[in-house]
Every structure is written in structure tokens, then in C-alpha cells.
Amino acid sequence: MTKQFGYGLLGLKKFKALSSVSFKLYSEPARIFVVIGETGSGKSTLLKLILRMLIPDGGTIVYRGRDVFRLNREGVRWYRREVQAVFQDPYESFNPIRRIDTYLYDSAKFLLNIKSREEASPIIDEVLRFVGLDLERVRGKSIKEFSGGELQRISIARAILSRPRLLLADEPVSMLDASLRVSVLNTFREIRDKLRSTIIYVTHDLATAYYIGDEIAVMYRGVLVERGPMSDVYSEPLHPYTKMLLNSILEPDIEIRKKIKPVKLSSIEIGEFLTPGCKFASRCPYAMPKCGSKEPPHVAVDERTVMCWLYVR
Ligand SMILES: Nc1ncnc2c1ncn2[C@@H]1O[C@H](COP(=O)(O)OP(=O)(O)O)[C@@H](O)[C@H]1O
Ligand code: SF4
Ligand SMILES: [Mg+2]
């Protein structure tokens, strides 16, 4: 799948925010699939495509045998029940002048076709209890009466109302106090273990990724450079970018750590997005002449896939 955006003064020049990203997920066993990448690497774009909030310029998404961009009205409702999301900023998910329980009742109506409050209340109470709250505490209140952590729990409760098979999480703990993060992360684990949902969890944080992920996909400038079981990737990263990313925190010697070039976290280098070759070539210590001009293929190495010329035999 590919997604382009305009850039420059008028937005007429195009770059691929997501370039030929391709992967398959299986629903059994339920797993947490982490997508890690710096800010601007294309993570949110990927989730927005899966949610049908954006349309790809190339490729498509097939969910349980159906092309998600060719669904009819009933298909869209089905897809909404099956695939739900939790976003980064809980304050953006709710309108401050609306009572928060109305969001839950609306979702029950739209997703589960439950129109009566009496019928919806026990179901809403159940999902709120799942995330450590209950309807009594939430009923009739506005967002001002909750902390960021509680609001994020309510967003999660709303997202699991329809028992989605696939839950997307876009940096859901990055705006929470460090002290609250682990318990919210544990809630995602419980969703995997008890509701058996598959979770795509997006983050830029290595520690979070390691804590929560069963599998990991590493994004760099709009491409997936490495993907595989979490423990394999962390213990022996294959792609030079993954190596650099992990070395930057795992190198015990602080003097060496200081010498490792810090990864740019905020500004995007359009040039790297635009290169016809490997996006990492200008920073890669192993770069070969062809790396700058030819895009490396996705190479299978054991249970992993690596997008790098070093592994082509
Ligand atoms: N609607 C848009 N129009 C133009 N550029 C966009 C748009 N959305 C995202 N981008 C750009 O696409 C790149 C990837 O963005 P995004 O997917 O939000 O990255 P991430 O979530 O990894 O931080 C960034 O360079 C971003 O500025
Ligand atoms: S393809 Fe070449 S430049 Fe890219 S990561 Fe591999 S060795 Fe480095
Ligand atoms: Mg993002």
C-alpha cells in the first residue's frame, strides 16, 4: 500500500508518506503487533488507511477476505464493529460540552443497534469495568471531571464495546503521566488475552514497544524496514536502522552512547522519502553503491523480513 502527500508551498510536489508497505496479520493467536518509528515515519498514516480515513494511492487492504475500500453501506458498519481505534490525545476524542456517557450510548446504538438506554447500560457498564471504571462514576459527567488517564480508559471502553477483532492504538499512552502508562498498557494486554483481539500498537518509544509487543515492525521514512517476533528483533536486530535504534539505548557505555548519532525525532527529511534507493542509505554505515539507486527487496530471514541489500543472496 502506498500513500502520497503534497509538500512545498502549494503542496504540488508529492512524496510517499507510505511506500509499498505490505504485511499480513492473522487473528489466531491474538497478538500485539507493534509498529515503531520516529515521528513522521508514517505510522499514523498507516492506521488512518486501515480505518478508511484516508484512501491509498496504490494497493489496498483486505480484511477477512474483503477489500475495505469497496465495502457497501452494510459492509462499512460491519467493518466498524470489527475494527476500532484508540488515539493519542484523549481530549481530542470527546467534545467538552457533551456528556461523556452519550458517546458510549451513541456507539451502542450505531455499532450494536441497541437503541434503548436500559438495554445499553449493562453493556456499557461491563466495558467500563473492564478498563477499571464503571457507569455510576461516568454517568452524566463531562470531560472536565476526568483525568487524562481516565479519559483514555473511557476511549478504550468505547473502542471495545463491539468486541472488535482488530484494535488500533495510536500512541495511546504518550500523553499520559509516566505513572499511569503501565496500567493502561496492561489494559491492552488484557484486551488481547481476554477479548482475544489482535492489536496494532503504534509507538515511537522503544521501552513501550518491548513491554507490550509480541511482534514488531520498524518503520523508517514510510517503509517497513524490518519485521518479526519482538524477542528476535530486540536480541539481534538485522536491519542497520534497527541496529542503530536499539544501540542508542542499549549501549551500556555512556561514552560510546554519546558518539552514536542521535536519531532525528521531529523534522522529516524529504530527501530521504524521495530517494529511489534505500531510505536509510545516507546514514547507513554499510551502504553499498546500489543502495542509493535501487530500492532493496524484502528479504525473508527465518521468521523475519528485512528490507536491506545486505541480506540478498
Ligand atoms: N494530511 C497530510 N498532508 C500532508 N502531509 C501529511 C499529512 N498527514 C501526514 N503528512 C506527512 O506524512 C508524514 C508521515 O506522517 P504521520 O503518518 O503522521 O507520521 P507518524 O505518525 O509516524 O508521526 C509526515 O511527513 C507528515 O508531515
Ligand atoms: S540497503 Fe544498503 S543502505 Fe540500506 S540499510 Fe541495507 S546496507 Fe544500508
Ligand atoms: Mg502519529
Short mmCIF file of all heavy atoms in Angstrom, two decimals, residues 283-310:
data_model
loop_
_atom_site.label_atom_id
_atom_site.label_comp_id
_atom_site.label_asym_id
_atom_site.label_seq_id
_atom_site.Cartn_x
_atom_site.Cartn_y
_atom_site.Cartn_z
N ARG A 283 22.61 7.48 5.86
CA ARG A 283 23.09 7.33 7.24
C ARG A 283 23.68 5.96 7.52
O ARG A 283 24.13 5.69 8.63
CB ARG A 283 21.93 7.51 8.22
CG ARG A 283 21.27 8.83 8.11
CD ARG A 283 20.00 8.79 8.95
NE ARG A 283 19.16 9.91 8.63
CZ ARG A 283 18.60 10.69 9.54
NH1 ARG A 283 18.79 10.47 10.81
NH2 ARG A 283 17.86 11.70 9.16
N CYS A 284 23.64 5.08 6.53
CA CYS A 284 23.97 3.69 6.82
C CYS A 284 25.47 3.42 6.73
O CYS A 284 26.09 3.69 5.71
CB CYS A 284 23.24 2.77 5.84
SG CYS A 284 23.59 1.04 6.15
N PRO A 285 26.07 2.87 7.79
CA PRO A 285 27.49 2.58 7.73
C PRO A 285 27.84 1.44 6.77
O PRO A 285 29.01 1.27 6.42
CB PRO A 285 27.84 2.20 9.17
CG PRO A 285 26.56 1.86 9.84
CD PRO A 285 25.47 2.57 9.10
N TYR A 286 26.86 0.64 6.36
CA TYR A 286 27.14 -0.50 5.47
C TYR A 286 26.76 -0.21 4.01
O TYR A 286 26.77 -1.11 3.19
CB TYR A 286 26.34 -1.74 5.91
CG TYR A 286 26.46 -2.06 7.37
CD1 TYR A 286 25.52 -1.61 8.29
CD2 TYR A 286 27.52 -2.84 7.83
CE1 TYR A 286 25.62 -1.90 9.64
CE2 TYR A 286 27.64 -3.14 9.19
CZ TYR A 286 26.68 -2.67 10.08
OH TYR A 286 26.78 -2.96 11.41
N ALA A 287 26.40 1.03 3.71
CA ALA A 287 25.84 1.33 2.38
C ALA A 287 26.79 0.94 1.25
O ALA A 287 28.00 1.13 1.33
CB ALA A 287 25.50 2.81 2.30
N MET A 288 26.21 0.36 0.21
CA MET A 288 26.96 -0.02 -1.00
C MET A 288 26.47 0.88 -2.13
O MET A 288 25.41 1.50 -1.99
CB MET A 288 26.66 -1.48 -1.36
CG MET A 288 26.97 -2.46 -0.25
SD MET A 288 26.16 -4.05 -0.52
CE MET A 288 24.70 -3.89 0.47
N PRO A 289 27.20 0.91 -3.26
CA PRO A 289 26.77 1.82 -4.34
C PRO A 289 25.30 1.62 -4.75
O PRO A 289 24.58 2.59 -4.93
CB PRO A 289 27.72 1.48 -5.48
CG PRO A 289 28.97 1.00 -4.79
CD PRO A 289 28.50 0.28 -3.56
N LYS A 290 24.86 0.37 -4.88
CA LYS A 290 23.49 0.17 -5.36
C LYS A 290 22.43 0.65 -4.37
O LYS A 290 21.28 0.90 -4.74
CB LYS A 290 23.24 -1.29 -5.73
CG LYS A 290 23.27 -2.25 -4.56
CD LYS A 290 22.93 -3.66 -5.04
CE LYS A 290 23.33 -4.68 -3.99
NZ LYS A 290 23.34 -6.04 -4.47
N CYS A 291 22.82 0.77 -3.10
CA CYS A 291 21.83 1.17 -2.08
C CYS A 291 21.21 2.53 -2.39
O CYS A 291 20.05 2.77 -2.06
CB CYS A 291 22.47 1.21 -0.70
SG CYS A 291 23.05 -0.39 -0.12
N GLY A 292 22.00 3.42 -2.99
CA GLY A 292 21.50 4.76 -3.25
C GLY A 292 20.56 4.84 -4.44
O GLY A 292 19.80 5.80 -4.58
N SER A 293 20.58 3.82 -5.29
CA SER A 293 19.78 3.94 -6.51
C SER A 293 18.69 2.88 -6.65
O SER A 293 17.71 3.09 -7.35
CB SER A 293 20.70 3.86 -7.74
OG SER A 293 21.45 2.66 -7.68
N LYS A 294 18.86 1.75 -5.98
CA LYS A 294 17.86 0.69 -6.14
C LYS A 294 17.21 0.34 -4.81
O LYS A 294 17.90 0.06 -3.82
CB LYS A 294 18.51 -0.58 -6.72
CG LYS A 294 18.60 -0.56 -8.22
CD LYS A 294 19.04 -1.91 -8.74
CE LYS A 294 17.88 -2.90 -8.86
NZ LYS A 294 18.32 -4.19 -9.41
N GLU A 295 15.90 0.35 -4.79
CA GLU A 295 15.19 0.03 -3.55
C GLU A 295 15.46 -1.42 -3.16
O GLU A 295 15.29 -2.33 -3.97
CB GLU A 295 13.69 0.24 -3.76
CG GLU A 295 12.88 -0.10 -2.54
CD GLU A 295 11.51 0.54 -2.56
OE1 GLU A 295 11.39 1.71 -2.16
OE2 GLU A 295 10.56 -0.14 -2.98
N PRO A 296 15.89 -1.66 -1.92
CA PRO A 296 16.15 -3.06 -1.53
C PRO A 296 14.86 -3.87 -1.45
O PRO A 296 13.80 -3.33 -1.14
CB PRO A 296 16.79 -2.93 -0.15
CG PRO A 296 16.46 -1.56 0.34
CD PRO A 296 16.20 -0.71 -0.85
N PRO A 297 14.95 -5.17 -1.75
CA PRO A 297 13.76 -6.02 -1.64
C PRO A 297 13.50 -6.43 -0.19
O PRO A 297 14.35 -6.24 0.67
CB PRO A 297 14.15 -7.25 -2.47
CG PRO A 297 15.63 -7.32 -2.37
CD PRO A 297 16.13 -5.92 -2.20
N HIS A 298 12.32 -6.97 0.06
CA HIS A 298 12.01 -7.51 1.38
C HIS A 298 12.55 -8.93 1.42
O HIS A 298 12.10 -9.78 0.65
CB HIS A 298 10.50 -7.54 1.62
CG HIS A 298 9.90 -6.17 1.68
ND1 HIS A 298 9.76 -5.47 2.84
CD2 HIS A 298 9.44 -5.35 0.69
CE1 HIS A 298 9.22 -4.29 2.58
NE2 HIS A 298 9.01 -4.19 1.29
N VAL A 299 13.51 -9.19 2.27
CA VAL A 299 14.16 -10.50 2.30
C VAL A 299 13.69 -11.26 3.54
O VAL A 299 13.67 -10.72 4.65
CB VAL A 299 15.70 -10.33 2.39
CG1 VAL A 299 16.40 -11.68 2.23
CG2 VAL A 299 16.20 -9.34 1.35
N ALA A 300 13.32 -12.53 3.35
CA ALA A 300 12.91 -13.36 4.49
C ALA A 300 14.15 -13.95 5.15
O ALA A 300 14.99 -14.56 4.48
CB ALA A 300 11.98 -14.47 4.02
N VAL A 301 14.31 -13.74 6.45
CA VAL A 301 15.40 -14.34 7.22
C VAL A 301 14.75 -15.00 8.43
O VAL A 301 14.27 -14.33 9.33
CB VAL A 301 16.42 -13.27 7.70
CG1 VAL A 301 17.56 -13.92 8.46
CG2 VAL A 301 16.94 -12.45 6.53
N ASP A 302 14.73 -16.34 8.44
CA ASP A 302 13.98 -17.08 9.47
C ASP A 302 12.55 -16.54 9.54
O ASP A 302 11.89 -16.47 8.54
CB ASP A 302 14.69 -17.03 10.82
CG ASP A 302 16.09 -17.64 10.73
OD1 ASP A 302 16.25 -18.62 9.98
OD2 ASP A 302 17.01 -17.14 11.38
N GLU A 303 12.14 -16.13 10.76
CA GLU A 303 10.76 -15.65 10.90
C GLU A 303 10.63 -14.16 10.58
O GLU A 303 9.61 -13.55 10.84
CB GLU A 303 10.29 -15.88 12.33
CG GLU A 303 9.92 -17.31 12.63
CD GLU A 303 9.41 -17.42 14.05
OE1 GLU A 303 8.27 -17.03 14.31
OE2 GLU A 303 10.17 -17.88 14.91
N ARG A 304 11.71 -13.60 10.08
CA ARG A 304 11.73 -12.16 9.89
C ARG A 304 11.72 -11.72 8.45
O ARG A 304 12.08 -12.48 7.56
CB ARG A 304 13.01 -11.63 10.51
CG ARG A 304 12.68 -10.88 11.78
CD ARG A 304 13.87 -10.25 12.35
NE ARG A 304 14.70 -11.21 13.05
CZ ARG A 304 15.79 -10.83 13.70
NH1 ARG A 304 16.16 -9.57 13.71
NH2 ARG A 304 16.51 -11.72 14.34
N THR A 305 11.36 -10.46 8.23
CA THR A 305 11.50 -9.85 6.91
C THR A 305 12.36 -8.60 7.08
O THR A 305 12.11 -7.80 7.97
CB THR A 305 10.13 -9.43 6.36
OG1 THR A 305 9.24 -10.52 6.50
CG2 THR A 305 10.23 -9.05 4.90
N VAL A 306 13.38 -8.48 6.24
CA VAL A 306 14.29 -7.33 6.32
C VAL A 306 14.39 -6.69 4.95
O VAL A 306 14.59 -7.38 3.95
CB VAL A 306 15.72 -7.77 6.73
CG1 VAL A 306 16.54 -6.54 7.11
CG2 VAL A 306 15.69 -8.76 7.86
N MET A 307 14.27 -5.37 4.91
CA MET A 307 14.36 -4.68 3.63
C MET A 307 15.77 -4.08 3.50
O MET A 307 15.99 -2.92 3.85
CB MET A 307 13.30 -3.58 3.59
CG MET A 307 13.01 -3.05 2.22
SD MET A 307 11.78 -1.76 2.35
CE MET A 307 11.62 -1.31 0.63
N CYS A 308 16.70 -4.92 3.04
CA CYS A 308 18.09 -4.46 3.01
C CYS A 308 18.89 -5.33 2.04
O CYS A 308 18.76 -6.55 2.04
CB CYS A 308 18.68 -4.57 4.42
SG CYS A 308 20.43 -4.20 4.49
N TRP A 309 19.77 -4.67 1.27
CA TRP A 309 20.59 -5.40 0.30
C TRP A 309 21.58 -6.35 0.96
O TRP A 309 22.03 -7.31 0.33
CB TRP A 309 21.36 -4.40 -0.60
CG TRP A 309 20.50 -3.76 -1.65
CD1 TRP A 309 20.16 -2.45 -1.74
CD2 TRP A 309 19.89 -4.41 -2.77
NE1 TRP A 309 19.37 -2.22 -2.83
CE2 TRP A 309 19.19 -3.42 -3.49
CE3 TRP A 309 19.86 -5.73 -3.23
CZ2 TRP A 309 18.46 -3.69 -4.64
CZ3 TRP A 309 19.15 -6.01 -4.39
CH2 TRP A 309 18.46 -5.00 -5.08
N LEU A 310 21.95 -6.11 2.21
CA LEU A 310 22.93 -6.97 2.88
C LEU A 310 22.47 -8.42 2.97
O LEU A 310 23.27 -9.33 3.10
CB LEU A 310 23.17 -6.48 4.32
CG LEU A 310 23.92 -5.18 4.54
CD1 LEU A 310 23.93 -4.85 6.03
CD2 LEU A 310 25.35 -5.30 4.02
#
